[in-house]
Amino acid sequence: MNRQESIFLIILFFLVSVTFLNAQEKKQIEIEYTGFLNVDEENPGAKILTRDDSEQVHIIHGSINLWCDKAIHFSEDKFIEAYGNVKMIQGDTINMASKYIEYSGKTLLAFASGDVVLKSPNSTVSSDTLYFDRTKQQAFYKSGGTVVKDSSGTITSKIGRYYMELKKFQFVEDVLMVNEEATINTNFADFYEDTGHAFLFGPSTIVTEESKTYCEKGFYDTENKIGYALKKARIDYDERIIEGDSLFFDNNTNFASATNNIKVTDTINRSIVKGHYAEVYRSEEKDSLFITKRALAITLQENDSIYMHADRLTVTGKPDHRIIRAFYNAKIYKSDISAKADSIHSDQKTGLTQLINLDRFAPSDAFSTKRKPILWNIENQMTGDTIHLISNPETEKLDSLLVFENAFIISKDTISENGYNQINGKHLTGWFNDENMLRKVDIVKNAQSIFFTRNELQELVGIDKAKSGSISMLFDNGDIEEYIRFNEIDGKMYPESEYPENEKFLKGFDWREEERPNSVEDLFKDDPPLELPIIKGLDDYIPQEDFFDEELLQRIKKANDEAKPNQKEEPKASRSLPQRVKDKKESKVPNLNTEKIKKPLLYKKVSKE
């Protein structure tokens, strides 16, 4: 070994020795100030420190400063019992006050009881009892506690744990979070004090003045008042309930969005809207619902509900005047009536439903304006440029029907294989009976008709073709019962064998029975395959690990083992805090006024210097 290597090793040894000595010194508990110091014969090695009129007892251990009215210092065990107006400060991060504290310089574990208040830069924790682990920088209560954060309000729970380095709280059982905007109830919550973010697990509710949100896994930003809910998620407004696999909500703007398996219930208008993506706005200026991806609106009626489907649905207006708009490939199904159009508008207050085609398609498109809105009732098919269906909102029954421009009504002859009764004209007006069946129809201006006329035995009499100013007809269960032509221009009854083959259909004839929805499922038969997004959401809840874990218990055991060889009896450190950890029982706060100091061996006042 050369000279330089020897010098390097000496310097390294010196630095290690200094570091070790410094570490040893930091482990020592220092008495910075005491008014009076006594020794108790019943506790050999224990010093009793008492304040004077000017100052409290002041004790230092590393970065910990402790003040109290009275303390018992077990120097060999590096253990302190502090009584009366106790305050413990760690740097500029932790300030804890209580009536009583036990502190071990070996395990760096403190136990506080009696009106405990622990303050960090962002939060204040209150509890009857509190454990503080300096090694892990964690605080813990298990018999009820309260956390106050200025911007996030107050949080109470039965069990609470504070991770100081992460600035995170973990609350368990009977968790209640209250601020000016919301009240949150949950079983488990992770709360980050610097951001105000709360992660909720188990049955949870978020209640505001406008809504109540339920979920079994969720997130809420207590500062920005936004969040999302997963797993049995639901938002209840005054008159509307939103359910879905994932719900996002912004309580600042009263906005919510939902993804996958959505159901929105209007409790006032007895309607339900379903789909797989939705947005809801609720405010004085705007009250609307937008929904897409297999969107379906259901108007609940006593005997027969109405189903409306389209690529997109919107519901606007206040609860007493809702308007439903269906856009693109819109369809209606009811047991006695169905319809199809590019766009459908339904006013729930007036009972008016409009079937409209928008002039936006290329001529080759299947839904171009040439494919007119269409309505089916029993055996009748009706088309026109625009169709209005009018119902009675009180009785929930169909009242009348209006077809504007190019009105065309077709019904298949009940017997002939390729025979169709047909009427067209400029406008059509129809009326329904109490069974929601088309009873009377009037077609005006340039009316044309083809009827398969039969006798009472349903034998074909002939095929009647005519032109007139207008036609009025009565129907019975979808069959033409009678008809009257007004201002007939020409007309002729042909035997079936003599009827011209090229005149069997009026101009504009378009039999579209294959498009007719005959069930709720048929409303979706033209839709492309649906692929729902995968919702990643939140991680599953990770149960809070034991505060008194094996590592902490080993620290306590090691401290006790080191103390026993030097003492005739079990050291104070093992008789108090470690035993409490083992038994999981908190002792009562000692009464400072009843403490007696027997036969003091030393009594002197120590100056702060």
Side-chain angles (χ1 to χ4, degrees):
M1 180 181 297
N2 57 37
R3 187 169 179 270
Q4 289 181 336
E5 290 176 333
S6 299
I7 294 173
F8 174 78
L9 289 175
I10 292 171
I11 293 173
L12 179 62
F13 177 79
F14 174 77
L15 292 174
V16 171
S17 300
V18 170
T19 302
F20 176 78
L21 290 173
N22 287 337
Q24 289 294 101
E25 288 176 0
K26 287 182 180 179
K27 287 185 179 179
Q28 299 299 320
I29 292 177
E30 302 174 5
I31 309 302
E32 180 71 8
Y33 181 84
T34 180
F36 304 97
L37 188 149
N38 295 273
V39 175
D40 190 346
E41 290 181 339
E42 295 183 359
N43 294 292
K47 300 180 180 66
I48 301 174
L49 316 174
T50 310
R51 68 165 296 162
D52 58 16
D53 293 337
S54 62
E55 293 186 48
Q56 286 186 296
V57 176
H58 183 187
I59 299 171
I60 298 176
H61 186 236
S63 62
I64 285 287
N65 282 266
L66 186 148
W67 290 267
C68 62
D69 292 342
K70 174 184 173 181
I72 301 176
H73 178 208
F74 300 88
S75 55
E76 291 189 11
D77 297 332
K78 298 182 177 65
F79 191 86
I80 292 288
E81 285 185 358
Y83 302 82
N85 301 309
V86 186
K87 183 169 65 175
M88 176 183 284
I89 296 178
Q90 174 183 273
D92 58 357
T93 58
I94 296 298
N95 187 324
M96 184 167 67
S98 64
K99 293 181 179 179
Y100 174 72
I101 283 182
E102 293 177 8
Y103 175 72
S104 170
K106 291 183 177 180
T107 63
L108 303 185
L109 182 65
F111 166 75
S113 65
D115 300 332
V116 184
V117 177
L118 183 147
K119 293 184 179 181
S120 71
N122 296 309
S123 302
T124 300
V125 183
S126 302
S127 181
D128 283 342
T129 57
L130 189 74
Y131 296 91
F132 174 32
D133 186 343
R134 288 188 62 200
T135 300
K136 293 182 178 181
Q137 286 296 289
Q138 294 178 16
F140 174 77
Y141 63 80
K142 60 177 181 175
S143 58
T146 301
V147 175
V148 177
K149 186 174 185 294
D150 292 340
S151 60
S152 303
T154 302
I155 308 169
T156 59
S157 67
K158 183 176 180 180
I159 299 171
R161 189 166 184 174
Y162 179 34
Y163 300 81
M164 298 172 187
E165 293 178 351
L166 298 176
K167 297 182 180 180
K168 169 188 172 181
F169 287 91
Q170 197 167 27
F171 300 106
V172 177
E173 198 172 332
D174 299 330
V175 184
L176 177 64
M177 311 173 74
V178 180
N179 60 29
E180 292 182 357
E181 302 293 334
T183 299
I184 302 172
N185 285 273
T186 185
N187 282 351
F188 310 96
D190 288 348
F191 179 78
Y192 292 84
E193 64 173 349
D194 55 344
T195 62
H197 291 176
F199 294 86
L200 314 177
F201 303 93
S204 307
T205 59
I206 303 171
V207 179
T208 68
E209 186 176 348
E210 295 82 15
S211 66
K212 177 180 178 180
T213 301
Y214 175 87
C215 65
E216 295 184 4
K217 185 188 291 186
F219 162 82
Y220 188 62
D221 184 335
T222 59
E223 294 186 1
N224 295 309
K225 304 175 184 64
I226 61 175
Y228 52 87
L230 305 171
K231 195 175 181 182
K232 299 183 180 179
R234 167 175 170 158
I235 301 177
D236 288 42
Y237 295 111
D238 290 339
E239 73 291 331
R240 192 174 266 164
I241 300 170
I242 305 171
E243 300 170 88
D245 290 354
S246 174
L247 303 179
F248 168 83
F249 51 94
D250 184 341
N251 289 333
N252 299 289
T253 59
N254 287 320
F255 168 79
S257 65
T259 304
N260 293 0
N261 301 305
I262 301 158
K263 179 181 177 182
V264 182
T265 303
D266 187 328
T267 56
I268 293 179
N269 294 286
R270 299 181 66 243
S271 64
I272 296 173
V273 181
K274 295 182 177 182
H276 295 286
Y277 179 76
E279 294 179 357
V280 179
Y281 289 90
R282 292 188 73 260
S283 65
E284 291 295 328
E285 299 78 20
K286 190 173 185 180
D287 192 328
S288 66
L289 163 66
F290 165 83
I291 194 162
T292 186
K293 295 186 178 180
R294 298 285 175 93
L296 178 68
I298 307 168
T299 302
L300 301 173
Q301 295 186 350
E302 187 173 346
N303 298 318
D304 191 7
S305 297
I306 301 174
Y307 300 84
M308 185 186 300
H309 165 64
D311 293 346
R312 302 175 187 175
L313 291 175
T314 64
V315 183
T316 58
K318 297 301 180 181
D320 60 345
H321 195 174
R322 298 284 198 209
I323 297 175
I324 301 176
R325 294 178 174 90
F327 296 99
Y328 317 133
N329 198 19
K331 302 173 186 176
I332 291 176
Y333 170 75
K334 191 172 180 285
S335 63
D336 48 22
I337 197 166
S338 52
K340 184 177 180 181
D342 180 70
S343 174
I344 298 176
H345 295 194
S346 180
D347 189 319
Q348 293 183 333
K349 184 175 183 178
T350 64
L352 173 62
T353 298
Q354 305 172 64
L355 281 66
I356 306 167
N357 267 23
L358 304 178
D359 188 9
R360 63 182 183 85
F361 297 101
S364 60
D365 194 291
F367 269 90
S368 68
T369 53
K370 292 182 180 179
R371 299 290 279 180
K372 302 180 184 302
I374 184 168
L375 179 74
W376 293 272
N377 176 242
I378 312 301
E379 302 299 328
N380 298 300
Q381 172 188 299
M382 288 155 279
T383 57
D385 289 359
T386 301
I387 298 175
H388 286 187
L389 190 62
I390 302 168
S391 61
N392 187 322
E394 300 297 328
T395 63
E396 300 179 346
K397 293 183 179 295
L398 293 173
D399 180 76
S400 56
L401 167 74
L402 299 173
V403 181
F404 302 94
E405 302 295 332
N406 300 306
F408 207 126
I409 182 168
I410 306 171
S411 65
K412 199 172 188 308
D413 182 61
T414 54
I415 297 177
S416 301
E417 184 177 351
N418 294 311
Y420 296 90
N421 296 305
Q422 307 161 53
I423 311 168
N424 68 9
K426 188 174 180 63
H427 302 300
L428 180 153
T429 305
W431 292 267
F432 296 89
N433 61 20
D434 290 340
E435 285 74 40
N436 286 341
M437 294 182 183
L438 197 61
R439 175 56 180 162
K440 182 183 178 182
V441 169
D442 289 344
I443 292 185
V444 299
K445 293 188 179 181
N446 304 322
Q448 300 180 80
S449 62
I450 296 175
F451 297 136
F452 283 69
T453 306
R454 297 183 179 278
N455 59 24
E456 293 179 354
L457 300 175
Q458 292 298 305
E459 295 171 337
L460 184 63
V461 175
I463 302 175
D464 184 346
K465 181 177 182 181
K467 293 181 180 180
S468 59
S470 61
I471 298 175
S472 180
M473 294 175 296
L474 292 177
F475 290 86
D476 183 18
N477 283 328
D479 296 329
I480 299 174
E481 184 177 42
E482 63 178 65
Y483 58 89
I484 302 173
R485 294 190 181 97
F486 300 92
N487 300 322
E488 185 173 341
I489 300 173
D490 61 53
K492 184 178 180 180
M493 177 81 73
Y494 295 89
E496 185 179 20
S497 60
E498 296 178 11
Y499 191 87
E501 188 68 27
N502 60 352
E503 294 186 15
K504 282 189 174 181
F505 303 107
L506 296 176
K507 185 179 180 180
F509 177 90
D510 188 10
W511 183 246
R512 295 161 62 182
E513 183 66 20
E514 75 282 355
E515 299 178 42
R516 182 175 186 172
N518 292 303
S519 66
V520 177
E521 290 73 21
D522 280 352
L523 295 173
F524 304 97
K525 64 183 180 182
D526 298 330
D527 289 10
L530 179 65
E531 293 184 8
L532 297 180
I534 298 174
I535 299 173
K536 295 181 180 179
L538 300 169
D539 294 333
D540 291 335
Y541 176 68
I542 300 176
Q544 189 183 88
E545 65 269 27
D546 289 336
F547 181 81
F548 305 109
D549 57 12
E550 189 62 31
E551 186 272 333
L552 176 56
L553 295 176
Q554 285 297 323
R555 267 193 277 151
I556 295 170
K557 182 177 184 300
K558 181 179 179 182
N560 292 339
D561 291 343
E562 290 175 353
K564 285 178 180 178
N566 301 320
Q567 300 188 16
K568 296 180 180 180
E569 59 177 338
E570 188 177 15
K572 181 68 177 178
S574 65
R575 294 199 308 271
S576 52
L577 182 58
Q579 189 64 39
R580 180 176 294 107
V581 172
K582 182 178 179 181
D583 297 339
K584 303 245 176 133
K585 295 178 181 177
E586 280 100 8
S587 64
K588 294 182 179 180
V589 180
N591 188 338
L592 179 62
N593 297 327
T594 61
E595 292 294 329
K596 295 182 179 179
I597 303 173
K598 298 181 180 180
K599 298 181 180 178
L601 301 179
L602 179 66
Y603 182 88
K604 69 175 182 177
K605 187 170 183 178
V606 182
S607 67
K608 191 171 182 179
E609 290 75 23

